[in-house]
Amino acid sequence: MTDTVTRDTSSSAEPPPRRRYARLAADESREDYSLRYAPHSFRRWSPGTVAGTALGGIAYLADFAIGASIVFTYGFSSGLASILTAAVIIFLTGIPIARACARYGLDMDLITRGAGFGYFGSTLTSLIYASFTFIFFALEGSIMAQAMHQAVGLPVEVGYLLTTLIVIPIVFRGMGALAKVQAWTQPLWIVGMVLPFLVLAFEAPDAWGAFTSFGGTEGAGAGFSWIGFGLGTGVALSLIAQIGEQADYLRFMPAKTAENRRRWNLAVLAAGPGWVVIGAAKQLGGAFLAFVALEAVGKTHALEPIAPQIEALKPWLGSFALPAAALFVIVSQIKINVTNAYSGSLSWSNFFSRVTHRHPGRVWYIFLNLAIALTLMEMNMFAALGKLLGFYSNVGIAWIAAVAADLVINKRAGWSPSYIEFKRAYLYAVNPAGFGAMVIASGVSILAFFGLFGTYAEAFSTFIAAGLALVLCPLIAWATKGRYYLARPNPVNGPGVDVADETATHVCGVCETAYELPDIVDCPAHSGPVCSLCCSLDAACGDICRKDPAAAGPVLMPVPTVPAASSAAPADPVR
């Protein structure tokens, strides 16, 4: 099931090796360019469709549980400040990342490579991102299993397995299937989201006033607490890596033109950092529903989104409140967990392709991601929600803040290339600017999180992570004069290439498939053009182009361009 390189030995003159990809790896209708640039010929969706699909993926109810957990623990005043502050940080760091992914047709891993981390440096962030997807898959799956248990009495252990299996056929088929699922389920989800709040507006109009004076269930009190604010913000900031899942959709955004510029900008803003506006509203809404249901169901069940939904709907729907709430929860969790499984498969593909020089196809990594998520569900990770997310956010925010600092500061200052270079042939293995900033920032903040520097540092550990990453990334880039961004110049598709040039295609000298210009490298080892994936998987070239770029010299592409249509997917996938 892996890719191979074969040689034709029927003649005395040995031709260059040809790589033959496994069936699933060669089928871009399922592979979705998981390890490479998304070509213009594949980005056939409108800005609105891409944005709608990306926003459909944030239908999850973990926001409800996270918001309720924060407010129950730290009280309304501190909880509200935590949720809004985290939303502002996530929004601001998400803007440059979303625009870069949409402009260059790259996912979060490829952006990270070129934005200060280097080719192998970003393998660590691939693991961080993969852990985000399976942690939140497990969290969302637990919520769905709770709904199934309450609706039909299905044991939660069986529910965990069912919630895992149900997404596989959808994720297996890639972006096309995901777009359809998100579009078809969106009307039902919107009704289910709005209805409980509409019922409470009529049936319990004084509930919101009581909620604003809620002091939590842990004795925090109704007043503002700096400690509670810091700790609550840390939990809310665990969602900062969600921009990676948004980027997995945004890379399919069509090219920005004079005609679609306004729609393109709005779509990228809404589907990129804009998700957190809805997310923050859901956190506050979830906390409100849990508060209203607290007396009737108790603290434990109030933190499970299904119970507050039922309690809110009972005045209008009566005995139908349970099936209606269960349907809403199940639809919501399917919408997000297909995204979690999809993004996880992309992240694992990126990690293993660099470590093993093998790529059997994105779809096989779906099973790895889901197996880990299922294990976490069976271990009842939902019970340790606050601590787990608080710890994770220290690492996640250091990563995202370092990338954002490179895109906003380093590139404008000239310490980083003006474009995103993601291909192995042009990158150093590790770039200390982003990678070093993330490691130092996350290391210091984790020590603070575990109380090494005192109570306030523990509460504000995520602020330490963000501040250090934002300062250290430009500082290291300045100190090193940006020398670790490019191992050698890219003479073919560096800065200044417009969309017309990008759509020109060249045949890879290894797999003999045509790809658009940004996906092609000048390869001294093969004396011609090679696609980025074949470059990544080559274990025998010895990195000659990076280790001795002066000796290798730039190689001009002798292969003429071919019609752009052939780059959308191989017409005859190699087997």
Side-chain angles (χ1 to χ4, degrees):
M1 305 301 294
T2 60
D3 53 89
T4 60
V5 177
T6 61
R7 293 182 183 272
D8 180 3
T9 58
S10 60
S11 63
S12 58
E14 187 177 41
R18 181 188 180 191
R19 185 176 298 278
R20 295 182 180 273
Y21 288 104
R23 180 190 298 268
L24 291 176
D27 183 0
E28 293 297 353
S29 65
R30 287 181 170 85
E31 187 68 2
D32 280 352
Y33 295 88
S34 61
L35 298 181
R36 58 170 88 241
Y37 157 86
H40 290 281
S41 56
F42 192 75
R43 298 186 232 169
R44 58 184 180 273
W45 297 277
S46 69
T49 298
V50 175
T53 303
L55 289 174
I58 64 164
Y60 52 85
L61 298 184
D63 272 336
F64 280 36
I66 291 171
S69 177
I70 292 173
V71 173
F72 275 28
T73 305
Y74 307 112
F76 174 80
S77 298
S78 300
L80 174 64
S82 297
I83 291 169
L84 295 181
T85 300
V88 171
I89 294 172
I90 292 172
F91 187 87
L92 293 177
T93 56
I95 292 174
I97 294 173
R99 292 183 65 86
C101 291
R103 162 63 184 91
Y104 293 103
L106 304 176
D107 65 14
M108 192 65 203
D109 180 82
L110 301 186
I111 288 287
T112 301
R113 288 186 197 179
F117 281 72
Y119 183 72
F120 278 108
S122 63
T123 56
L124 178 58
T125 63
S126 293
L127 291 179
I128 295 171
Y129 184 32
S131 65
F132 174 85
T133 64
F134 62 65
I135 286 172
F136 278 89
F137 187 103
L139 177 57
E140 307 295 350
S142 298
I143 292 172
M144 191 192 304
Q146 293 162 3
M148 292 177 174
H149 174 69
Q150 194 148 349
V152 297
L154 186 71
V156 289
E157 293 78 11
V158 178
Y160 295 153
L161 179 61
L162 184 58
T163 61
T164 302
L165 297 176
I166 198 171
V167 305
I168 293 176
I170 302 170
V171 182
F172 199 86
R173 298 184 62 187
M175 175 63 177
L178 267 63
K180 292 177 182 178
V181 168
Q182 301 296 2
W184 293 343
T185 56
Q186 199 72 347
L188 178 62
W189 180 80
I190 292 174
V191 172
M193 176 61 68
V194 173
L195 187 58
F197 299 99
L198 185 63
V199 173
L200 290 177
F202 283 95
E203 301 296 331
D206 298 328
W208 180 261
F211 178 54
T212 59
S213 60
F214 180 52
T217 59
E218 310 296 326
F224 179 81
S225 163
W226 283 106
I227 297 293
F229 165 69
L231 292 170
T233 304
V235 174
L237 280 173
S238 64
L239 292 165
I240 195 167
Q242 177 65 34
I243 189 63
E245 295 197 345
Q246 304 307 111
D248 289 338
Y249 293 114
L250 286 172
R251 65 196 176 106
F252 298 124
M253 192 70 69
K256 182 167 69 172
T257 64
E259 291 75 20
N260 72 1
R261 180 174 182 175
R262 177 174 294 182
R263 289 181 288 114
W264 192 93
N265 286 330
L266 288 175
V268 171
L269 187 66
W275 77 266
V276 78
V277 176
I278 301 173
K282 286 164 58 188
Q283 289 176 43
L284 291 172
F288 175 59
L289 292 180
F291 165 76
V292 173
L294 180 60
E295 185 175 348
V297 303
K299 176 188 172 183
T300 300
H301 290 300
L303 292 174
E304 301 171 355
I306 179 66
Q309 288 280 326
I310 295 170
E311 292 301 314
L313 294 175
K314 274 182 179 178
W316 283 11
L317 300 185
S319 60
F320 290 102
L322 173 57
L327 177 62
F328 168 68
V329 171
I330 291 171
V331 168
S332 298
Q333 303 316 90
I334 290 176
K335 284 169 72 67
I336 179 54
N337 266 355
V338 294
T339 298
N340 282 328
Y342 178 74
S343 294
S345 69
L346 297 178
S347 187
W348 284 120
S349 295
N350 275 293
F351 174 78
F352 281 108
S353 67
R354 278 170 288 175
V355 173
T356 68
H357 295 285
R358 293 279 187 240
H359 181 54
R362 172 193 67 84
V363 297
W364 295 107
Y365 293 110
I366 297 171
F367 300 101
L368 171 63
N369 210 52
L370 297 187
I372 298 174
L374 179 58
T375 302
L376 290 177
M377 283 188 276
E378 298 291 353
M379 293 171 60
N380 192 26
M381 64 150 286
F382 193 83
L385 177 63
K387 279 292 183 183
L388 178 65
L389 298 183
F391 171 79
Y392 178 84
S393 63
N394 288 279
V395 182
I397 194 170
W399 164 36
I400 298 299
V403 173
D406 179 87
L407 296 174
V408 175
I409 302 174
N410 296 1
K411 291 193 180 303
R412 294 186 180 182
W415 303 324
S416 172
S418 61
Y419 69 107
I420 303 295
E421 183 56 77
F422 66 95
K423 297 179 284 295
R424 172 191 178 189
Y426 303 108
L427 295 174
Y428 280 99
V430 176
N431 185 342
F435 182 80
M438 187 200 73
V439 171
I440 295 171
S442 59
V444 173
S445 66
I446 288 172
L447 293 177
F449 176 78
F450 284 110
L452 188 64
F453 306 128
T455 302
Y456 278 91
E458 177 182 353
F460 287 87
S461 63
T462 50
F463 289 85
I464 294 173
L468 282 177
L470 287 170
V471 171
L472 288 175
C473 183
L475 183 62
I476 296 173
W478 169 78
T480 59
K481 296 181 172 57
R483 62 170 295 188
Y484 294 103
Y485 279 90
L486 295 178
R488 64 173 176 132
N490 184 341
V492 178
N493 49 15
V497 177
D498 60 26
V499 172
D501 293 330
E502 287 181 352
T503 57
T505 58
H506 294 260
V507 175
C508 170
V510 178
C511 67
E512 299 180 3
T513 302
Y515 291 101
E516 289 183 3
L517 185 59
D519 206 37
I520 293 293
V521 306
D522 264 334
C523 179
H526 292 277
S527 300
V530 172
C531 73
S532 64
L533 182 53
C534 285
C535 176
S536 291
L537 300 179
D538 196 330
C541 67
D543 289 326
I544 183 176
C545 61
R546 294 190 297 170
K547 292 180 177 178
D548 190 9
V555 179
L556 298 178
M557 293 187 188
V559 181
T561 59
V562 297
S566 62
S567 67
D572 181 21
V574 291
R575 293 173 170 82

